[in-house]
Amino acid sequence: MKTRKIRTALYNVLPGEKAHALMAPRPKYIEGIEGVHPCPPVNSAILALIVPFENELALPLIKRVNRGKYHGGQIAFPGGKMEKEDADALQTALRECHEEIGVPEEKVSILGVLSDIYIPLSNFNITPIVGTTLQLPDFILSQDEVEKVILVKLRDLFDDRNKTTHSFVRHDHKIIAPGYKIGENFIWGATAMIIAELEQLMKTNTFNHLGKL
């Protein structure tokens, strides 16, 4: 299965910031309004869970409920901040994925880790963990956190025709956001940056028929 090749690729040199820059919003934060925090970054983690779906590989993304200070209503990976009981980022990612979409930790095989991303707006430092499951999970959503799960095939994410740019206004400043337009959904910000690194990693390691099992 292609996930074995992904595991191998994750132990090579990662594209990191070069890949992140392809999908980074501009400006990264608004000077004097955002990105100024009195405390150290909040360590957090997400799980990019590669699952089989319709004979292809896909990522389950979540649409967060429309509340919260920074990222309410956005499309994201399952994840969140590290709690005191978490030994490391891996444990955080697995716990959050189980809490938010009901995937048992024991069903997940870990493939590796992508590059950390710091988000000035929320002061989160995100560690992306990459995992996989042998079967498509039965998702059980946290009603407090998740509105729905969106299964997106890697082939669709890596298709240049689905990459676009949106602009919006925040604090009276224009933000330019590259991202992925999948159906009615626009995926941008840290989520898009993580996907961009996964795509560059797979392309660099000469995967054929990206997204196929």
Side-chain angles (χ1 to χ4, degrees):
M1 182 182 284
K2 191 178 291 292
T3 52
R4 294 195 187 98
K5 292 185 178 181
I6 298 173
R7 186 195 303 271
T8 300
L10 285 164
Y11 284 91
N12 292 333
V13 177
L14 298 175
E17 291 185 4
K18 184 177 180 180
H20 295 165
L22 298 173
M23 287 290 167
R26 304 183 298 274
K28 194 171 185 180
Y29 65 97
I30 299 170
E31 192 73 34
I33 300 175
E34 301 173 353
V36 179
H37 302 277
C39 54
V42 178
N43 290 324
S44 61
I46 64 91
L47 185 62
L49 186 65
I50 300 173
V51 300
F53 177 58
E54 297 179 347
N55 295 316
E56 298 191 38
L57 299 178
L59 290 170
L61 302 175
I62 62 172
K63 183 175 182 182
R64 296 200 174 278
V65 295
N66 196 15
R67 61 174 178 267
K69 186 175 181 181
Y70 295 114
H71 306 299
Q74 292 184 5
I75 296 172
F77 288 103
K81 68 178 181 179
M82 185 179 293
E83 302 292 351
K84 292 180 180 179
E85 63 269 21
D86 296 338
D88 51 27
L90 171 59
Q91 190 171 348
T92 299
L94 290 171
R95 175 183 55 76
E96 288 282 349
C97 186
H98 182 242
E99 291 176 359
E100 292 185 345
I101 61 173
V103 180
E105 297 181 14
E106 63 271 16
K107 297 293 186 181
V108 179
S109 297
I110 300 302
L111 300 177
V113 183
L114 291 168
S115 305
D116 279 14
I117 296 178
Y118 174 66
I119 308 301
L121 176 61
S122 58
N123 197 33
F124 270 38
N125 187 70
I126 302 172
T127 299
I129 306 295
V130 182
T132 188
T133 58
L134 291 176
Q135 297 178 329
L136 182 66
D138 294 322
F139 299 114
I140 303 172
L141 310 189
S142 166
Q143 299 301 311
D144 293 333
E145 299 179 272
V146 179
E147 180 179 319
K148 63 180 178 179
V149 168
I150 304 164
L151 276 167
V152 186
K153 295 177 181 178
L154 293 186
R155 175 173 54 85
D156 292 333
L157 286 169
F158 298 168
D159 188 337
D160 288 341
R161 293 172 295 182
N162 294 327
K163 298 171 186 176
T164 187
T165 300
H166 285 191
S167 63
F168 56 92
V169 175
R170 189 167 69 207
H171 301 305
D172 296 324
H173 290 72
K174 186 176 181 180
I175 303 294
I176 305 297
Y180 303 87
K181 184 70 168 63
I182 306 294
E184 63 180 15
N185 303 298
F186 182 60
I187 304 162
W188 66 286
T191 303
M193 293 164 71
I194 292 166
I195 292 169
E197 183 175 29
L198 182 61
E199 178 182 1
Q200 290 298 309
L201 184 73
M202 292 178 70
K203 286 183 174 179
T204 300
N205 286 273
T206 62
F207 285 80
N208 295 322
H209 308 296
L210 288 176
K212 292 288 186 180
L213 285 172

